[in-house]
Amino acid sequence: GPDWPTSVATGVMRLSLIQMLIGSLPVIFLVVPSVMLGSFQIISSVSETWTTLSNIVTLIAFAVQGGALIGAGIIIERASVMYVKELDEMPFDEEVLKLDQEIVVYERTRRECTDWFREPNFPLMPRVVLIVSNVVLVGACYLSVFRKCFRKFAVADSIGDEDGPLWGVGPKALWGTAANVVIFPYGGIVLVFFIFGWLLFGFYRSWAKRRAQQRIAEKRIPDDPALTLTQEVSKKQGEADVDSWSSKCASGKSLSSKTDAASLGSSGSRANSVFVHTDVDMAEIPHLVHPARPPPPAVPPPAVQSLSSRSRDTGDGGKLQAWT
C-alpha cells in the first residue's frame, strides 16, 4: 500500500517513528476493505448469503481503491499547477540524472544492436533462439485454451477437503497434493513449453545485454547520442534563462560572465547544461536574438476624386442625371 514507501523513507531519513505512524494512519481506510475482501472470498462458498455479501464487499473495495487513486491523481495535478514555479526551481539529483542518462543510452544501444535488418552480420544463433522461444510460448498459450490442462480450484477450496467440490477427481479435491491441479498430458506439456520458452528468452536477453554493454564500452553507441535525458532536462530548465538572455541581446547588451553566468549557468551546473558562457556580444549569437519586426509598410489612403454630374431631359418632363 501507499504506507509502505512512506514508512521505509521515514526509516532511511531517520525521522520520528511516532509521527510516521500517526501520519500514515489514514491508510487504514484502504487496508480494511482489502482485508474484508479476502475474508469474504474465503467464506463465499458456505452459502448463497455469503456469496452475495462477498460480491457486495468486492464492489465496495474496488470503489474505495478506485476513489483513492482518482483522488491522489487530482491532488498531485493540483499541486503541480499551484507550485509549478517552486517545482521548476527545485534542483535535480546529479546521481539520478546520470543513472537515467546511462539507462537511455543502454536502451538505445540495445535496440540498435538487436535490429536484424539494420545490424550487419547479425548472428544466426540468437535469431534461432528468439524464434523458437516465441513459437514455444505461443504454442503453450494455444494449447492451454483448446485443451483441458488444469483442474478448477478456488481460494475457498481445500486441497484435501472431503466435503469440498469433487469435480470428478475422487473423494478429495486434489487428493491432498497441490500438484494434482495439473491434468496430464496436456497440462504437463504446457508447463514444459512455458519453462523451456522462458529459458530461451532469458538466454536471448542475456546475450543482448552483453552485446549492448560491449558496444557502450567500445564507444560504439548509435547515432544522435546527444539527445539524452540529461540534456532534455537542462533544456527545460534553461528555457526561462534563454528568454532573459535573448531579451538582453535584443536590447544590444552584452552578457557578463559574472552576473548572467550565475543565472544561465545554474541549470548547466546541475545537469551538464549545453550552455557555455563567456562574455558574448549580440552579434556572436544571432540565433538567440529576437529582432524587432519592422513596421508594416504604410499604405497610402485611396485618392479622393471629385464627382461631376451630367443631366439631360428625358423628353417627358423628367430629367436623367449621371455621376462620373
Side-chain angles (χ1 to χ4, degrees):
D3 58 323
W4 183 84
T6 305
S7 304
V8 173
T10 303
V12 171
M13 300 174 66
R14 307 285 185 178
L15 301 179
S16 173
L17 177 62
I18 301 299
Q19 294 183 4
M20 180 272 295
L21 293 176
I22 297 176
S24 60
L25 189 61
V27 80
I28 193 174
F29 296 105
L30 297 178
V31 174
V32 169
S34 301
V35 174
M36 293 180 62
L37 173 62
S39 302
F40 276 86
Q41 286 289 331
I42 294 176
I43 61 176
S44 61
S45 60
V46 175
S47 63
E48 294 184 358
T49 302
W50 288 108
T51 302
T52 303
L53 292 175
S54 176
N55 295 333
I56 295 175
V57 172
T58 301
L59 294 177
I60 294 175
F62 277 114
V64 172
Q65 294 287 344
L69 180 62
I70 296 175
I74 293 174
I75 294 176
I76 293 174
E77 178 67 20
R78 183 182 302 174
S80 63
V81 173
M82 294 177 58
Y83 304 100
V84 60
K85 184 177 180 180
E86 290 81 357
L87 293 175
D88 290 340
E89 295 176 352
M90 184 180 299
F92 288 89
D93 193 309
E94 290 284 349
E95 295 181 359
V96 174
L97 286 175
K98 182 180 180 181
L99 180 61
D100 290 340
Q101 182 179 4
E102 293 176 355
I103 294 175
V104 170
V105 174
Y106 166 76
E107 291 295 335
R108 188 191 302 115
T109 307
R110 186 182 62 83
R111 288 194 301 267
E112 183 77 12
C113 66
T114 55
D115 192 337
W116 296 4
F117 303 99
R118 297 180 56 185
E119 181 71 11
N121 301 324
F122 194 88
L124 178 62
M125 183 58 66
R127 298 190 186 189
V128 175
V129 170
L130 186 60
I131 292 175
V132 173
S133 172
N134 282 271
V135 171
V136 170
L137 291 175
V138 172
C141 292
Y142 276 100
L143 182 61
S144 63
V145 171
F146 293 106
R147 289 292 185 269
K148 188 176 182 181
C149 302
F150 305 97
R151 294 183 175 90
K152 294 182 179 179
F153 193 81
V155 177
D157 299 331
S158 177
I159 296 177
D161 190 1
E162 297 182 0
D163 299 329
L166 300 181
W167 303 304
V169 297
K172 294 186 178 181
L174 294 178
W175 294 294
T177 304
N180 290 329
V181 74
V182 182
I183 299 178
F184 290 92
Y186 298 113
I189 295 175
V190 167
L191 291 179
V192 172
F193 275 20
F194 268 114
I195 295 174
F196 182 66
W198 281 112
L199 286 177
L200 290 179
F201 187 69
F203 171 78
Y204 175 80
R205 286 181 60 89
S206 177
W207 171 85
K209 181 179 179 181
R210 292 195 304 270
R211 186 179 178 90
Q213 291 176 346
Q214 182 179 1
R215 290 283 183 89
I216 295 175
E218 297 174 355
K219 306 299 183 181
R220 296 168 57 190
I221 59 178
D223 296 335
D224 193 19
L227 187 57
T228 59
L229 180 62
T230 300
Q231 292 178 345
E232 286 295 318
V233 173
S234 302
K235 181 180 179 182
K236 182 179 179 181
Q237 283 187 322
E239 286 179 354
D241 297 332
V242 170
D243 293 337
S244 175
W245 192 6
S246 302
S247 62
K248 289 186 178 183
C249 293
S251 62
K253 298 179 180 180
S254 62
L255 302 177
S256 172
S257 58
K258 294 182 179 180
T259 56
D260 296 322
S263 60
L264 286 175
S266 58
S267 58
S269 61
R270 287 194 301 264
N272 298 328
S273 175
V274 296
F275 297 110
V276 180
H277 190 76
T278 55
D279 289 331
V280 183
D281 195 7
M282 177 183 63
E284 299 180 9
I285 46 173
H287 60 285
L288 291 178
V289 178
H290 302 285
R293 294 182 178 179
V299 179
V304 180
Q305 300 178 355
S306 60
L307 300 177
S308 60
S309 62
R310 292 179 298 175
S311 61
R312 65 183 180 85
D313 296 333
T314 58
D316 56 355
K319 184 176 290 186
L320 180 63
Q321 190 171 18
W323 295 84
T324 59

